């Protein structure tokens, strides 16, 4: 119990320090990729890794990595992301890195040992909040990013990932160097807050993730015609806001006809966004998720048909760009067994759970043995400044991850 308190205190200290690295002080954590807040968080993490005695490096995607050499070169990677959504919480992502720091500290200082080398990772731009993309470091590690992708994704100020990286001091032309030799990765482990209400409601300490939802993301552009709002008769206008509103208002209902599927329009932009000008353009995001790939595909098809239907009725045009497509993925059974064994031995209350949120573990699991450990979120709140997870629960997750690493 003393050890849990000690770990919890360290986790609390780190998280309270890291929450200061936000661009929206007093209104949650906003830590977008390739910003000064991101750089400060990375610096903090690197300093802490060095204090523990890890060998640190920052990869070409901006991920911070601290390595503990084992008898084997093959490596168990444990971590999560340091970026956040806009006005997000102080736990999403970064809590998993901080738990990893504690795992590394315990491996160094106490009587634990791992056959494999261990790396603590803080990944960059998992959320996709700035460039509407996401999973940046994990995709880079898997060799899935091309320089042309970095040029294609732009933020709301029209700055591409490519230019943002250059400004930040990274070389976008070398992104391919972040690719890992997958043979060298023994396992990928991620501790993350649940971001939903289930574990707390069931009184559990730990969630063992079975499946992470598949997700598809799109940007839709509805084209209208900019005209005078007062002089253009209702039957002679093409109003992009009116058309987009009719499209968007049906998207939730399409998803509701499927079990365990969700679809969200979370970002809308209107051009020129004036009171007395009929909108020329509306662009909006769609995010569709389910543990069943067929459901995601089918929801997308229905949304597309609906867009076609509405735009043709109102003489408007549209385009759809796919920005992300990842299939649902199961976590590794062997790793899940080790996590479960640790929970039983330590008498931590646990249950199996699916993840409705995306995580770096989603793309990673397609290529390497991967497992996720969830911890309860207070009232299920997340992606908001209300987000809270007890430090003791995080400490328990760190211990379970440590046991799993020792037993791999
Ligand atoms: C990340 O939090 C996501 O699920 O979008
Ligand atoms: Mn998130
Ligand atoms: Mn997250």
């Amino acid at each position: 119990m003393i050890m849990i308190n000690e770990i919890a205190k360290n986790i609390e200290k780190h998280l309270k320090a890291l929450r200061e690295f936000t661009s929206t002080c007093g209104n949650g954590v906003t830590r977008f990729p390739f910003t000064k807040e991101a750089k400060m968080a990375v610096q903090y993490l690197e300093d802490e890794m060095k204090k523990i005695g890890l060998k640190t490096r920052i990869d070409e995607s901006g991920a911070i990595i601290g390595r503990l050499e084992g008898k084997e070169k093959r490596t168990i990677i444990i971590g999560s992301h340091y970026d956040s959504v806009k006005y997000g919480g102080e736990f999403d992502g970064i809590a998993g890195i901080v738990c990893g720091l504690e795992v590394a500290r315990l491996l160094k200082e106490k009587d634990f040992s791992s056959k494999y080398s261990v790396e603590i990772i803080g990944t960059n731009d998992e959320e996709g909040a700035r460039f509407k993309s996401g999973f940046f470091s994990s995709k880079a590690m898997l060799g899935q990013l091309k320089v042309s992708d970095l040029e294609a994704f732009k933020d709301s100020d029209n700055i591409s990932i490519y230019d943002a990286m250059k400004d930040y001091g990274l070389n976008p032309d070398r992104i391919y160097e972040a690719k890992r030799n997958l043979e060298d990765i023994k396992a990928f482990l991620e501790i993350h807050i649940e971001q939903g209400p289930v574990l707390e409601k069931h009184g559990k300490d730990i969630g063992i993730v079975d499946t992470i939802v598949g997700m598809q993301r799109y940007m839709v552009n509805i084209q209208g015609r900019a005209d005078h709002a007062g002089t253009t008769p209702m039957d002679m206008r093409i109003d992009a806001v009116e058309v987009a509103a009719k499209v968007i208002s049906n998207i939730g209902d399409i998803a509701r006809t499927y079990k365990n599927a969700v679809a969200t329009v979370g970002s809308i932009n209107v051009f020129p966004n004036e009171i007395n000008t009929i909108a020329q353009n509306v662009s909006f995001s769609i995010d569709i998720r389910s543990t069943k790939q067929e459901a995601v595909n089918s929801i997308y098809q229905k949304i597309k048909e609906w867009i076609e239907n509405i735009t043709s009725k109102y003489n408007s045009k549209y385009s759809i760009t796919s920005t992300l497509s990842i299939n649902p993925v199961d976590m590794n059974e062997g790793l899940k067994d080790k996590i479960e064994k640790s929970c039983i031995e330590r008498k931590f209350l646990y249950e199996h759970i699916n993840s409705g949120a995306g995580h770096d573990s989603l793309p990673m699991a397609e290529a390497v043995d991967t497992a996720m450990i969830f911890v309860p979120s207070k009232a299920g709140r997340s992606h908001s400044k209300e987000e809270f997870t007890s430090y003791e629960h995080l400490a328990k997750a760190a211990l379970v991850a440590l046991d799993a690493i020792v037993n791999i």
Side-chain angles (χ1 to χ4, degrees):
M1 211 50 193
I2 290 164
M3 190 143 81
I4 289 187
N5 290 342
E6 175 191 313
I7 300 167
K9 260 175 58 195
N10 284 335
I11 289 172
E12 179 174 2
K13 178 187 77 183
H14 292 317
L15 287 175
K16 286 187 171 164
L18 284 156
R19 72 183 177 190
E20 300 302 318
F21 306 134
T22 169
S23 64
T24 54
C25 212
N27 204 359
V29 173
T30 305
R31 194 183 304 118
F32 277 6
F34 314 116
T35 59
K36 68 174 192 304
E37 296 76 35
K39 193 162 260 172
M40 287 190 280
V42 167
Q43 189 60 60
Y44 178 93
L45 291 167
E46 181 162 29
D47 291 346
E48 293 302 317
M49 286 172 178
K50 282 188 174 146
K51 277 188 211 164
I52 294 166
L54 307 184
K55 193 163 164 243
T56 63
R57 70 183 178 98
I58 292 169
D59 82 359
E60 292 71 13
S61 77
I64 168 74
I65 299 165
R67 184 172 173 89
L68 189 60
E69 216 60 55
K71 285 182 219 84
E72 289 234 10
K73 179 171 168 249
R74 295 186 74 196
T75 305
I76 300 167
I77 303 178
I78 174 167
S80 192
H81 59 99
Y82 63 76
D83 64 307
S84 81
V85 294
K86 196 170 176 181
Y87 310 126
E90 56 195 76
F91 295 84
D92 180 0
I94 198 108
I97 312 172
V98 164
C99 287
L101 272 179
E102 276 302 280
V103 169
R105 185 183 67 80
L106 294 167
L107 281 168
K108 278 290 266 193
E109 290 177 6
K110 308 271 187 216
D111 216 10
F112 297 102
S113 77
S114 163
K115 174 177 167 196
Y116 296 95
S117 300
V118 175
E119 285 183 9
I120 315 308
I121 193 165
T123 62
N124 185 20
D125 197 12
E126 182 270 351
E127 299 280 8
R130 178 171 175 191
F131 300 99
K132 307 280 178 275
S133 48
F135 306 111
F136 189 69
S137 291
S138 40
K139 281 181 161 184
M141 283 196 283
L142 295 168
Q144 294 175 355
L145 290 179
K146 298 190 292 295
V147 173
S148 57
D149 297 326
L150 311 186
E151 286 160 338
F153 285 99
K154 299 196 170 143
D155 70 7
S156 54
D157 294 323
N158 218 26
I159 299 170
S160 65
I161 297 182
Y162 188 94
D163 289 337
M165 285 178 81
K166 271 171 88 172
D167 260 14
Y168 187 75
L170 287 166
N171 185 345
D173 291 310
R174 302 183 86 97
I175 189 67
Y176 59 89
E177 287 183 20
K179 182 177 177 339
R180 305 285 299 238
N181 181 355
L182 299 179
E183 298 289 302
D184 284 345
I185 303 179
K186 177 67 186 164
F188 185 81
L189 291 177
E190 185 169 7
I191 295 173
H192 203 284
I193 57 168
E194 180 202 342
Q195 307 184 274
V198 176
L199 295 175
E200 183 186 67
K201 187 157 177 252
H202 295 177
K204 304 295 183 192
D205 301 311
I206 296 288
I208 302 172
V209 176
D210 286 325
T211 303
I212 308 178
V213 289
M215 46 205 283
Q216 291 179 11
R217 287 181 178 163
Y218 298 91
M219 284 305 295
V220 181
N221 192 281
I222 303 282
Q223 290 136 45
R225 202 181 58 209
D227 278 313
H228 196 292
T231 58
T232 319
M234 290 311 287
D235 58 351
M236 294 175 74
R237 58 173 70 193
I238 307 175
D239 181 343
V241 165
E242 184 186 12
V243 175
K246 286 183 196 304
V247 167
I248 291 168
S249 66
N250 197 28
I251 287 179
D253 287 331
I254 291 174
R256 265 182 208 97
T257 61
Y258 294 77
K259 221 174 136 213
N260 300 328
V262 291
T264 307
V265 174
S267 169
I268 306 179
N269 286 295
V270 178
F271 181 84
N273 209 15
E274 293 296 330
I275 293 177
N276 55 357
T277 303
I278 295 165
Q280 181 181 312
N281 249 289
V282 173
S283 59
F284 60 89
S285 61
I286 307 178
D287 175 304
I288 310 167
R289 307 183 190 202
S290 173
T291 48
K292 301 271 174 281
Q293 184 59 33
E294 316 79 67
V296 178
N297 290 339
S298 167
I299 290 171
Y300 173 63
Q301 278 314 320
K302 289 205 173 136
I303 293 175
K304 195 160 173 282
E305 281 161 26
W306 180 247
I307 295 174
E308 250 159 35
N309 190 342
I310 295 295
T311 49
S312 88
K313 182 165 168 196
Y314 290 92
N315 282 325
S316 155
K317 290 198 167 53
Y318 73 95
S319 62
I320 304 182
T321 314
S322 160
T323 55
L324 184 79
S325 177
I326 308 187
N327 294 350
V329 68
D330 294 331
M331 298 293 95
N332 179 270
E333 290 296 332
L335 292 174
K336 277 173 22 182
D337 287 347
K338 289 186 173 52
I339 292 167
E340 187 157 352
K341 187 163 165 274
S342 164
C343 290
I344 292 167
E345 283 173 5
R346 290 187 180 273
K347 300 194 170 39
F348 295 162
L349 301 173
Y350 71 94
E351 71 180 32
H352 287 257
I353 187 168
N354 288 333
S355 173
H359 301 285
D360 286 309
S361 291
L362 178 59
M364 289 306 288
E366 285 187 0
V368 299
D369 292 354
T370 297
M372 283 198 83
I373 301 167
F374 272 6
V375 271
S377 291
K378 188 171 174 218
R381 301 295 307 278
S382 186
H383 280 191
S384 95
K385 66 176 188 197
E386 314 305 330
E387 192 175 88
F388 184 77
T389 287
S390 88
Y391 304 107
E392 190 186 331
H393 277 139
L394 289 166
K396 287 182 173 177
L399 278 174
V400 168
L402 175 69
D403 290 343
I405 288 172
V406 168
N407 289 318
I408 289 173

